[in-house]
Amino acid sequence: MIRLPAFEYLKPRTVSDAVKYMSDRGPDAMLVAGGTDLYPNLKRRQFEPKALVGLRGIRELRGVRASGGGATIGSGTTLTQVATHPAVARRYPALATAAGLVSSPQLRNMGTLGGNVCVDTRCNYYNQTYDWRKAIGFCMKKDGDICLVAPGSSRCWAVSSSDTAPVLWALGATARLVGPGGERTLPVAALFRDDGIEYLAKRPDEILTEIALPPDDGWASVYLKLRRRGSFDFPVLGVAAAVRREGDIVREARIVLGAVASQPREATAAAAALVGQRLTSETITRVAELAAGPSKPLDNTDFTHPYRKKVTRVYVARALARLAGLDAGPSSYEAGA
Ligand SMILES: Cc1cc2nc3c(=O)[nH]c(=O)nc-3n(C[C@H](O)[C@H](O)[C@H](O)COP(=O)(O)OP(=O)(O)OC[C@H]3O[C@@H](n4cnc5c(N)ncnc54)[C@H](O)[C@@H]3O)c2cc1C
Ligand code: SF4
């Protein structure tokens, strides 16, 4: 059995105490919410903090507040609560779907929205035990110097594997961060960086406190996920699509791909090609082709990367067909489905 290393566990009751603990401990501390990703990573020595600042006891971080057509979701709200909240399901069905497709029921009961947004990037050469990683000489994401996927590269290409991140991006959500320097709000789209190691554009001591969703006025959204096992697996492709229509005509659109790069990737040309159009089969086929352009998976996660690239087009077409009412298939597909 792989054991957790020893660490000091701090239990703040307020966000300001959590900020103070993080600031006092400096780089030796990490935040933990549900711990469903961080604890396995600690067991594999992917992180070696001396202290953990636990967010579970902070009441102000929990809950969904729906008002004026929009909603604010505390970062400590569990994925089960997000997936089953009536206002989320009604106004932002893609978010309810994505939260409900994360891993397994047990992990959704512990795992939080904030932890899902900030979840570590993944790679076949990194999500391994310490001894496994040591046997192949480590890589630059932890303990080593080179990238084993792209040895000539000076950066890490680990994959953004959050189910909710592409959806929140597509819905135009904003994130509130609180740190030693005060608080700031930024679009979820600006929260991610295209780097497998420094994948978040937030300081390590900043706490994501809440996600705000704009009013759903006329928007419809959908999320589709590809994974090997339907019961519990990280996405190897996620497609979040949101459109605002007037009558039959699309007036605004966003398509964001998950698990094909180190950050969610927006298919801007494809979304632009939807504007002013009806969601007909012809439009969907053309737009899905365009949407596959930004999908650039590497050979560092499940399934072959040419396959993941190829099915991007298929999944975008299915997502748009769902929005058009032309397809009522499942939201999660296993290999070959
Ligand atoms: C078997 C298995 C299957 C999984 N399948 C999926 C899957 O299908 N899809 C998926 O998306 N994830 C999956 N996960 C990963 C994980 O369970 C989820 O991403 C979960 O939502 C993480 O939330 P958490 O609260 O447990 O985060 P934690 O593990 O507590 O933290 C994750 C990271 O986020 C940081 N963090 C947490 N909260 C905050 C905050 N408020 N502000 C700033 N930083 C914060 C932590 O410091 C840490 O770096 C899986 C994990 C396992 C073990
Ligand atoms: S992409 Fe390269 S550097 Fe990053 S985790 Fe994988 S092997 Fe390591």
Side-chain angles (χ1 to χ4, degrees):
M1 190 207 301
I2 316 176
R3 292 183 184 281
L4 277 174
F7 51 81
E8 181 188 12
Y9 186 79
L10 297 152
K11 274 177 69 177
R13 293 283 169 206
T14 63
V15 171
S16 52
D17 279 352
V19 168
K20 185 171 179 323
Y21 287 149
M22 286 299 287
S23 173
D24 290 348
R25 299 299 190 287
D28 285 340
M30 280 187 84
L31 297 163
V32 64
T36 62
D37 198 66
L38 187 64
Y39 289 135
N41 290 353
L42 294 187
K43 289 182 177 181
R44 295 186 290 252
R45 306 308 190 255
Q46 286 160 242
F47 299 98
E48 298 179 273
K50 292 198 174 72
L52 288 185
V53 177
L55 301 175
R56 291 193 71 205
I58 306 180
R59 194 184 289 259
E60 64 193 284
L61 291 181
R62 294 196 294 261
V64 178
R65 292 174 295 282
S67 62
T72 304
I73 308 180
S75 64
T77 310
T78 67
L79 293 164
T80 299
Q81 288 164 340
V82 174
T84 57
H85 194 282
V88 176
R90 193 172 59 251
R91 296 178 183 177
Y92 313 105
L95 179 58
T97 303
L101 289 175
V102 172
S103 53
S104 65
Q106 292 90 337
L107 295 186
R108 291 195 293 275
N109 288 341
M110 287 296 291
T112 64
L113 183 63
N116 193 246
V117 169
C118 297
V119 74
D120 195 14
T121 53
R122 296 179 62 79
C123 172
N124 285 343
Y125 295 93
Y126 169 70
N127 294 99
Q128 304 288 351
T129 61
Y130 180 84
D131 288 334
W132 193 103
R133 292 188 292 114
K134 186 178 176 192
I136 56 160
F138 299 115
C139 75
M140 72 168 81
K141 188 157 160 70
K142 183 69 170 59
D143 300 316
D145 302 318
I146 62 159
C147 173
L148 296 164
V149 177
S153 172
S154 58
R155 60 159 283 191
C156 164
W157 298 87
V159 181
S160 168
S161 302
S162 162
D163 278 302
T164 63
V167 174
L168 294 171
W169 182 321
L171 292 172
T174 55
R176 180 167 163 257
L177 302 174
V178 179
E183 74 171 72
R184 62 189 176 118
T185 300
L186 72 169
V188 165
L191 188 58
F192 301 100
R193 301 182 66 235
D194 191 14
D195 185 289
I197 298 173
E198 302 292 338
Y199 60 94
L200 289 175
K202 78 166 194 67
R203 291 166 43 119
D205 57 5
E206 281 184 308
I207 299 170
L208 169 61
T209 57
E210 66 184 26
I211 296 287
L213 291 145
D216 59 325
D217 305 329
W219 284 88
S221 63
V222 67
Y223 178 70
L224 296 187
K225 169 174 180 171
L226 171 69
R227 54 181 164 180
R228 186 173 291 271
R229 295 165 296 186
S231 50
F232 80 116
D233 259 331
F234 281 88
V236 285
L237 170 67
V239 172
V243 295
R244 186 179 66 77
R245 274 171 290 197
E246 286 170 9
D248 283 355
I249 306 295
V250 175
R251 293 298 176 202
E252 290 181 85
R254 289 188 212 102
I255 300 170
V256 183
L257 309 174
V260 295
S262 296
Q263 63 176 159
R265 186 141 279 175
E266 187 163 8
T268 40
L274 277 177
V275 175
Q277 305 297 317
R278 287 187 176 79
L279 280 176
T280 60
S281 305
E282 295 71 30
T283 306
I284 289 172
T285 306
R286 189 166 45 86
V287 168
E289 200 66 54
L290 284 173
S295 172
K296 297 200 166 40
L298 289 179
D299 190 14
N300 60 347
T301 181
D302 204 0
F303 299 132
T304 66
H305 56 299
Y307 171 74
R308 286 161 59 218
K309 167 91 180 164
K310 211 162 143 186
V311 293
T312 305
R313 182 176 44 75
V314 177
Y315 275 63
V316 173
R318 284 180 182 172
L320 296 177
R322 178 78 64 85
L323 287 170
L326 302 171
D327 178 304
S331 295
S332 171
Y333 296 86
E334 298 168 44

